[in-house]
Amino acid sequence: MKALKYILLLLLILFIGLSIFIAVQPNSFEVTRTRNIKAPQEVLYNKIIDFETWKDWSSWIEADPEMKITIPEKHEGVGGSYSWEDKDGVGTMTTVAANPYNSITQEMQIAEFPKSDVSWKLEAKEDGSTDVTWDISGKNLPFAFKLVSTLMGGMEKLIGPHYERSLEKLDSITQEDMKRYEVTIDGITEYGGGYYLYKTTNANAQNISVKMGENFGAIMMFMGKNGIKQSGMPLTVYNDMSSSDVIMSNGIPVNEKITLREGSDVSINFIPNIKVLKTTLKGNYTNLSKAWEETMAYLVKNNLEQSEEKPFEIYTTDPGHYPNPADWVTEIYIPIK
């Protein structure tokens, strides 16, 4: 009997000690993780602000496939939310503020515990990547919350690994999403033709993008200085594709023939109304070689013969307005007899 009293007394002392220990723990917490992701700021912002995508990259959902996820009709932007239910109870995440494409503020509610503040900061880097910082904090924590947190190793241990894994998955699915592409052989049609200002150069697979950018930039600057209006999307005419070094003319359409002063480094040309085989690529320009391969194979399979007019591409979407390369659209035209 005396031994039992000692055991009970010892348990009481341990309980009191634990209670005091829990009580003196901080009444707040904060966990932060940052990952550099090689993707445009806007692309990442659009994924994070849309709770429909969270099921694809949330580490918690990955760890508990039985978790019940409820995504209401309003799941994107300020006011958007989603909720979940697992063995530990129910929770809700709600977006309360957003500053496109720099930051997002959210609130997380788990059971009856106080709300936690969740924030995202997206910082664009010079190399085109984005530093994504994910932060969660809470304050005025009740005793029960601190008890559970302490017994499970603290909030850093509870949340930190999940944040790291989630950001890793966000990185992975974003990379895969940006690689999406689709080639469509639209068939034989007519191209209406028109004038275009252009600069000609030679290029290879390693420098073609840089040279295109330089030429389009120079033409736009020339047009700006001379008050010339653009009448269509930029294009590239391939004068010679017989070797690894192509000769190309990068041009911008204009409404009418323009008389250029002698010695101008910008020239003008005309594409007539012609019969063409048209192919559409939706995706990054890096997939253009695949689109050309399919187009040329279609020509051979269908016994179509190219005419004397040079083949050309039209870039129908402005990458400045479409940050995800998977959304870029390029039209390929092969003039045929």
Side-chain angles (χ1 to χ4, degrees):
M1 196 60 148
K2 186 179 292 187
L4 179 59
K5 289 182 180 179
Y6 282 130
I7 292 173
L8 291 175
L9 179 60
L10 180 59
L11 290 175
L12 178 61
I13 293 172
L14 290 174
F15 176 76
I16 294 172
L18 177 61
S19 298
I20 294 173
F21 177 76
I22 298 297
V24 299
Q25 293 303 301
N27 290 322
S28 63
F29 75 90
E30 183 173 13
V31 179
T32 302
R33 290 294 187 275
T34 298
R35 184 181 180 91
N36 178 265
I37 299 179
K38 296 187 183 306
Q41 183 184 31
E42 187 173 342
V43 172
L44 291 162
Y45 174 91
N46 289 336
K47 285 196 176 296
I48 296 167
I49 198 74
D50 184 359
F51 284 125
E52 183 69 38
T53 72
W54 283 48
K55 61 180 181 292
D56 299 324
W57 52 267
S58 168
S59 172
W60 284 274
I61 297 175
E62 178 186 46
D64 184 5
E66 301 301 318
M67 182 184 294
K68 296 179 180 178
I69 305 297
T70 301
I71 301 178
E73 183 176 345
K74 174 63 176 176
H75 59 263
E76 185 176 0
V78 176
S81 66
Y82 89 100
S83 58
W84 67 90
E85 182 178 354
D86 58 18
K87 62 182 183 300
D88 298 320
V90 297
T92 303
M93 183 79 77
T94 304
T95 299
V96 297
N99 177 24
Y101 298 95
N102 301 300
S103 64
I104 301 169
T105 303
Q106 298 166 330
E107 285 183 348
M108 184 175 72
Q109 176 75 61
I110 298 180
E112 300 301 322
F113 291 120
K115 291 181 179 179
S116 297
D117 297 319
V118 177
S119 67
W120 295 84
K121 180 181 178 183
L122 294 91
E123 182 181 356
K125 312 303 288 186
E126 290 185 1
D127 63 358
S129 66
T130 304
D131 279 348
V132 181
T133 300
W134 193 8
D135 179 272
I136 183 171
S137 62
K139 56 185 178 181
N140 300 322
L141 305 179
F143 182 85
F145 186 101
K146 293 195 289 185
L147 174 62
V148 173
S149 172
T150 301
L151 293 177
M152 298 188 72
M155 298 304 290
E156 183 70 33
K157 182 178 179 181
L158 280 173
I159 296 177
H162 278 293
Y163 268 27
E164 291 169 10
R165 175 57 179 160
S166 294
L167 288 173
E168 179 185 359
K169 292 190 68 181
L170 176 63
D171 188 345
S172 177
I173 68 166
T174 300
Q175 301 305 323
E176 288 303 312
D177 180 55
M178 293 195 301
K179 291 177 182 177
R180 286 186 295 108
Y181 77 94
E182 179 181 3
V183 176
T184 303
I185 306 293
D186 300 293
I188 297 174
T189 185
E190 283 193 2
Y191 178 74
Y195 288 98
Y196 62 98
L197 296 173
Y198 71 93
K199 286 177 68 70
T200 298
T201 188
N202 65 312
N204 54 45
Q206 287 70 44
N207 64 15
I208 189 167
S209 295
V210 173
K211 290 201 172 186
M212 280 186 178
E214 291 173 350
N215 283 349
F216 287 135
I219 298 169
M220 290 296 292
M221 186 176 296
F222 174 86
M223 293 172 69
K225 287 182 178 179
N226 292 276
I228 302 172
K229 292 184 178 180
Q230 178 176 343
S231 65
M233 297 303 290
L235 56 84
T236 295
V237 177
Y238 289 97
N239 304 301
D240 187 350
M241 302 176 72
S242 60
S243 67
S244 57
D245 275 20
V246 301
I247 299 176
M248 63 180 183
S249 296
N250 308 118
I252 296 178
V254 292
N255 282 321
E256 58 188 1
K257 184 175 182 179
I258 297 170
T259 302
L260 302 172
R261 70 176 184 274
E262 188 175 348
S264 173
D265 62 346
V266 173
S267 304
I268 190 164
N269 205 350
F270 181 77
I271 300 176
N273 186 306
I274 48 175
K275 185 179 179 182
V276 294
L277 171 64
K278 178 184 176 185
T279 297
T280 300
L281 166 69
K282 186 175 183 182
N284 199 317
Y285 301 140
T286 55
N287 297 300
L288 274 168
S289 60
K290 300 181 180 69
W292 276 93
E293 287 174 10
E294 292 192 31
T295 304
M296 300 309 290
Y298 185 94
L299 277 173
V300 174
K301 181 179 179 181
N302 292 275
N303 297 314
L304 299 174
E305 186 178 354
Q306 293 188 54
S307 71
E308 295 77 14
E309 295 291 335
K310 302 301 182 182
F312 55 98
E313 299 169 344
I314 298 179
Y315 313 106
T316 64
T317 50
D318 182 350
H321 298 152
Y322 295 84
N324 189 341
D327 297 326
W328 297 350
V329 176
T330 306
E331 296 171 348
I332 297 174
Y333 293 92
I334 308 291
I336 58 175
K337 294 182 179 179

